[in-house]
Amino acid sequence: MRVLGIDPGLTRCGVGVVEGVAGRPLTMRGVGVVRTPADAELGLRLVAIEQGIEQWLDEYEPEVVAVERVFSQHNVRTVMGTAQASAVAMLCAARRGLTVALHTPSEAKAAVTGSGRADKAQVGAMVTRLLRLDAPPKPADAADALALAICHIWRAPAQNRLQQAVAQNRLQQAAALHASKPASHHASKGRTA
């Protein structure tokens, strides 16, 4: 599985591509950031993010795009910019028919470090170790993007099994409901006396 992880942000949007399957060593295919100038108009910044993500999608052809789920922070302005960049990432993936997976920051941290409260240095160190890199990716947004991709690769098999179990349960419930309904009186309709 090849996953493009995206840590959304207006000034620095972290991107990282990881390939592999759960239970086996993973390989980093690429890592970086899509940058926009803080003094540029918002619309132009969003276009720049879209163009940057499209270049990553063209070059690496991921099967899945894992985006950090935006969570409420104290700074509403920061949240809005992050949410806008996140929406652009999801739009780019959806336009190509790619699966979009959302993971919270604590899910990604827990996946790579074992703790949902790990700091950026711990995440960078574990991403470096897990992907057998010479040094932690810089800036931290790039390491976070790789952590999101790793998180998805490791969690996807369990999530797929859970979704299949839920779907199977719904089918069983629907079949049981259908079987318990009394037979309708179709035979008496349409007859004349």
Side-chain angles (χ1 to χ4, degrees):
M1 174 186 308
R2 182 177 288 190
V3 179
L4 170 61
I6 299 178
D7 180 33
L10 274 179
T11 304
R12 289 182 318 273
C13 184
V15 286
V17 180
V18 177
E19 191 169 52
V21 295
R24 299 207 182 254
L26 303 175
T27 304
M28 182 190 75
R29 295 292 178 207
V31 66
V33 290
V34 175
R35 296 179 189 273
T36 68
D39 59 351
E41 179 190 329
L42 175 61
L44 295 176
R45 294 177 82 184
L46 294 174
V47 168
I49 291 168
E50 183 226 10
Q51 290 170 341
I53 291 171
E54 288 291 345
Q55 288 175 350
W56 279 80
L57 291 169
D58 286 342
E59 183 172 349
Y60 293 99
E61 300 180 345
E63 300 162 60
V64 178
V65 176
V67 181
E68 183 176 278
R69 183 184 299 272
V70 178
F71 65 101
S72 179
Q73 296 172 331
H74 300 296
N75 186 341
V76 174
R77 186 173 174 188
T78 302
V79 171
M80 289 301 295
T82 302
Q84 290 162 334
S86 177
V88 169
M90 289 187 278
L91 174 74
C92 291
R95 185 187 294 143
R96 293 172 183 245
L98 298 173
T99 298
V100 175
L102 299 175
H103 299 285
T104 65
S106 58
E107 286 173 341
K109 290 175 185 180
V112 299
T113 70
S115 170
R117 295 179 178 218
D119 64 23
K120 294 216 176 262
Q122 291 170 306
V123 171
M126 284 307 296
V127 163
T128 302
R129 176 190 260 172
L130 292 168
L131 297 175
R132 300 169 314 284
L133 306 175
D134 294 333
K138 300 283 184 195
D141 310 275
D144 290 348
L146 291 171
L148 285 159
I150 293 167
C151 174
H152 184 75
I153 290 170
W154 285 353
R155 294 178 128 230
Q159 287 174 331
N160 290 342
R161 285 192 299 275
L162 180 60
Q163 289 170 347
Q164 289 170 352
V166 168
Q168 183 65 33
N169 188 25
R170 286 185 183 147
L171 283 173
Q172 290 171 346
Q173 287 177 345
L177 182 64
H178 182 70
S180 68
K181 288 185 179 181
S184 61
H185 301 284
H186 294 297
S188 63
K189 291 184 179 179
R191 287 188 177 169
T192 56

